[in-house]
Amino acid sequence: MTPDETVTAFITAIERMDVDAAAELLATTVVYENVPMQAVTGREVVRESLTNFLSTMTHVEWPVSVQVATGNHVANERVDRFKFEAGWLEVRVAGFFEIDDDGLIAVWRDYFDLAEFTNQMAALQS
Amino acid sequence: MTPDETVTAFITAIERMDVDAAAELLATTVVYENVPMQAVTGREVVRESLTNFLSTMTHVEWPVSVQVATGNHVANERVDRFKFEAGWLEVRVAGFFEIDDDGLIAVWRDYFDLAEFTNQMAALQS
């Protein structure tokens, strides 16, 4: 797979909520950073983090509007949509990915406005 | 200039605080969106917005760590640093640009955590 295809496969695995398939595309030393929050390092830690996060919801859609790639770098603009029992929440996200020589995701950084997420989450929980 | 070079020229014009040089790289119908805030449409409106914003500071540095381009789309990861009288403020930003057939920037969207900016601004003003 090209770096572009690897990122697309990763996003679609997340949409299927198939954490194992997503984790197979991560390097063992992957760095995953939700930029407003914190960085998480290591495939198993990311797997656990994704499993815990996705367990709180019933559906995930991450439609990508633009995806660009140069060499081993890929960037995309997405709207990350999550369905909880109380309803949908969506956040506009810019993702940057770095693919290593084995074709695995070594770096994944998502840029977004944290309040856009937390305000909607608070509204769903009220 | 390639789309990649156009974006680089735009960023460096901002760093020189040369709004006229930056505005020359914008399409007349440009859409500029600070994603957590609002979209601004039209070169003259963006020129005025940039002029007002930059007038509050003395130095600007927008170092780009990664820039990727496919066709007429360009994306970059930056740390946007602004120096005010009270000190520096910096925000991690993901920028997406779309270049039109005339080689001008038709769309410019910056993704960042708004609180990362406002919290530092409040600290500088206290």
Side-chain angles (χ1 to χ4, degrees):
Chain A
M1 288 195 289
T2 64
D4 187 72
E5 290 167 342
T6 299
V7 169
T8 298
F10 181 73
I11 300 288
T12 55
I14 296 280
E15 289 185 304
R16 293 194 312 271
M17 304 180 78
D18 185 345
V19 174
D20 286 337
E24 277 182 20
L25 298 167
L26 300 176
T28 54
T29 56
V30 61
V31 176
Y32 166 37
E33 184 171 13
N34 274 316
V35 171
M37 301 169 72
Q38 77 296 317
V40 173
T41 301
R43 181 165 58 196
E44 294 316 312
V45 181
V46 174
R47 182 203 302 272
E48 188 179 339
S49 169
L50 287 175
T51 300
N52 290 343
F53 182 56
L54 297 178
S55 73
T56 64
M57 58 196 72
T58 60
H59 292 86
V60 175
E61 295 175 359
W62 286 10
V64 172
S65 53
V66 174
Q67 186 157 299
V68 284
T70 302
N72 62 336
H73 291 278
V74 181
N76 58 31
E77 283 190 277
R78 318 188 307 259
V79 178
D80 289 5
R81 308 183 72 236
F82 306 103
K83 185 166 192 239
F84 300 89
E85 283 195 11
W88 286 92
L89 170 163
E90 63 180 48
V91 185
R92 295 165 295 175
V93 176
F96 279 76
F97 303 82
E98 193 176 326
I99 311 300
D100 70 13
D101 292 341
D102 297 322
L104 300 173
I105 296 169
V107 176
W108 170 24
R109 268 190 296 275
D110 275 351
Y111 293 77
F112 60 96
D113 182 47
L114 183 58
E116 190 169 319
F117 181 89
T118 55
N119 290 343
Q120 291 174 72
M121 186 60 95
L124 285 180
Q125 291 173 336
S126 68
Chain B
M1 288 197 287
T2 64
D4 187 72
E5 290 167 342
T6 299
V7 169
T8 299
F10 181 74
I11 300 289
T12 57
I14 297 281
E15 290 185 303
R16 294 194 312 273
M17 304 179 77
D18 185 346
V19 174
D20 286 338
E24 277 182 19
L25 298 169
L26 300 176
T28 54
T29 56
V30 63
V31 176
Y32 165 38
E33 185 171 13
N34 274 316
V35 171
M37 301 169 71
Q38 77 296 316
V40 173
T41 301
R43 180 164 62 198
E44 295 316 312
V45 181
V46 174
R47 183 203 301 273
E48 189 178 338
S49 168
L50 287 175
T51 299
N52 290 343
F53 182 56
L54 296 178
S55 72
T56 63
M57 58 195 73
T58 60
H59 292 85
V60 175
E61 294 175 359
W62 285 10
V64 172
S65 52
V66 174
Q67 186 158 298
V68 282
T70 301
N72 62 335
H73 290 278
V74 181
N76 58 30
E77 283 191 277
R78 320 187 305 261
V79 178
D80 289 5
R81 307 184 71 235
F82 307 103
K83 185 168 192 239
F84 300 90
E85 283 194 12
W88 286 94
L89 170 163
E90 64 180 47
V91 185
R92 295 165 295 175
V93 177
F96 278 78
F97 302 83
E98 193 176 325
I99 311 300
D100 70 13
D101 292 341
D102 297 322
L104 299 173
I105 295 169
V107 176
W108 169 25
R109 270 190 295 275
D110 275 351
Y111 293 77
F112 60 96
D113 181 47
L114 184 58
E116 189 168 319
F117 181 90
T118 55
N119 289 345
Q120 291 174 73
M121 185 61 94
L124 285 179
Q125 290 173 336
S126 67

